[in-house]
Every structure is written in structure tokens, then in C-alpha cells.
Amino acid sequence: MALRAEAEGWLRTKGTDQWSDPETGERAISKWRASIDEGRAWVVVGERDEVLATVSRGPVDRDFWTDADRPETALYLYKLIVAREASGRQLGTRVIDWMSRLAALEGRTWVRIDTWRTNSELHAYYERLGFQHVRTEAPSHRRSGWLAQRRAGEMTLSDDLLPIGPHEVCHEDAATLREVPHQRAEAGANEDLTSGNGTTP
């Protein structure tokens, strides 16, 4: 939650309205707390036990993705936030690579995101990491809706992988990743997170 608060302040300095709306922000934080309680959120912890980044996963968001998108083929990545003190370390990229490996181990085809529609700097960041813009959806009750995807298993920094636990080496075996909880079933799709992805690392 401290990362989220820090990100809100930083985003205001970047000239974007992302996460600045109190109503959508409150709803998003409530759903994010639920994802934490359900074990669908992870943190990256530094050498001094400081939390440097977070990422979450969840079911398909039906405000954006339809049956024609074959939603079961994707892992849905949400709430990627990197602490300002970790900026410049490519930590966000490494977290995305970690999620990409997880998606591949689950037999999925895509890692999918939805981001704030007006944050063009964030769109460019994801495109530099190999995400392809699919389309932009603009439901009246949502501020997110810029949709993009990248092939599962695709790596940007394959020689600098994140470890899974505090005592593991960086090149852990595939069996370890299989212990990470899968997405909830399609029935829970309407309980998805609502404010899109986090900030550019």
C-alpha cells in the first residue's frame, strides 16, 4: 500500500491523471486488498528486507476482453508498481519476465495487461518490452482500457531472472514456479481489479 501511495504522488508529477480519481481509486484499492488476501499479489524484497516492487494477477476483466479474445489463453497481469528508490534497475522488466515464465509454465499463450487510457508514456514502456497494442476500450465507468499482450515465455532480460524465494538462486528450476497460485476460474471474472496496471519503472 505504501508503494501505491508513493506511485500516486509520482504519477501526479508526470502529468498523467492515472489513479487520481478518488472514486475509482477507492474501488481499485478495495479489490487489490482482496487479491492480496487471496494470494494473488507478490512483492520483490531487497537485501535490507525493503519492499521494492509488487505485481498481481487476476481473472480476465470482462469490461475489456471478450470470448473472441480466447481469455483462457492468457495470464492477466495487474498492479505492477516499482518503488522510486529502485528506479533504473530494470526491476519492472524483470518482474514482467517472471510473470511471462509463469504464464508459459501454465501453458498459456499470452501475458495481457490493461493500462490507463491516457498514460501514453506507460503505453510506450510496455511496447518497448514487446507488448503489442490490441485495441483500446472505453467503458464509461472505467479509466483503464488500453489493452496489450506479449507472448508467454518471451524474455527481455533472460540473463537476469528474479529468484522466487529469499534463499533460492536466480536460475531456479521450473518446478518452483509451478507452486505459484493459478488464476481463479472464469466464474470470478467480474471480481477483477479495476484500475489497470501500475507505474513505469
Side-chain angles (χ1 to χ4, degrees):
M1 289 301 157
L3 286 181
R4 164 77 187 220
E6 180 188 55
E8 288 176 0
W10 179 75
L11 283 165
R12 282 192 291 272
T13 71
K14 302 294 286 183
T16 175
D17 62 352
Q18 183 170 334
W19 290 353
S20 63
D21 181 76
E23 181 181 350
T24 59
E26 185 176 333
R27 188 169 61 241
I29 288 174
S30 174
K31 291 187 177 183
W32 190 25
R33 284 186 185 277
S35 74
I36 293 168
D37 292 342
E38 293 166 6
R40 295 187 288 115
W42 295 272
V43 293
V44 176
V45 179
E47 294 176 354
R48 299 183 309 278
D49 291 330
E50 71 278 28
V51 176
L52 298 177
T54 183
V55 69
S56 300
R57 71 176 304 172
V60 58
D61 191 324
R62 286 300 191 167
D63 279 345
F64 302 135
W65 303 97
T66 69
D67 288 344
D69 296 311
R70 299 186 60 216
E72 73 283 355
T73 64
L75 179 151
Y76 295 88
L77 183 154
Y78 300 98
K79 295 295 183 294
L80 171 60
I81 307 173
V82 175
R84 290 300 90 209
E85 70 173 282
S87 179
R89 300 186 199 175
Q90 296 187 301
L91 188 53
T93 301
R94 295 169 69 200
V95 170
I96 291 168
D97 282 352
W98 184 83
M99 294 293 274
S100 184
R101 288 184 290 140
L102 175 58
L105 285 168
E106 293 181 0
R108 301 182 189 273
T109 306
W110 305 104
V111 175
R112 285 179 175 159
I113 57 173
D114 67 84
T115 71
W116 210 254
R117 293 193 296 268
T118 58
N119 192 339
S120 57
E121 185 177 335
L122 186 58
H123 306 164
Y125 168 75
Y126 281 114
E127 287 176 328
R128 286 195 300 273
L129 296 183
F131 282 84
Q132 296 182 341
H133 181 227
V134 176
R135 63 181 177 274
T136 300
E137 299 284 352
S140 60
H141 62 294
R142 300 290 295 274
R143 306 292 294 277
S144 189
W146 187 87
L147 310 182
Q149 62 188 15
R150 187 174 94 169
R151 284 270 173 196
E154 185 176 314
M155 297 288 117
T156 302
L157 297 172
S158 58
D159 59 342
D160 195 13
L161 302 177
L162 284 173
I164 301 304
H167 304 295
E168 292 174 314
V169 297
C170 288
H171 296 282
E172 74 288 340
D173 62 24
T176 306
L177 275 174
R178 290 193 180 94
E179 299 302 316
V180 178
H182 287 218
Q183 293 172 182
R184 287 185 301 171
E186 185 73 15
N190 290 332
E191 298 301 316
D192 205 2
L193 305 172
T194 61
S195 70
N197 290 291
T199 61
T200 304

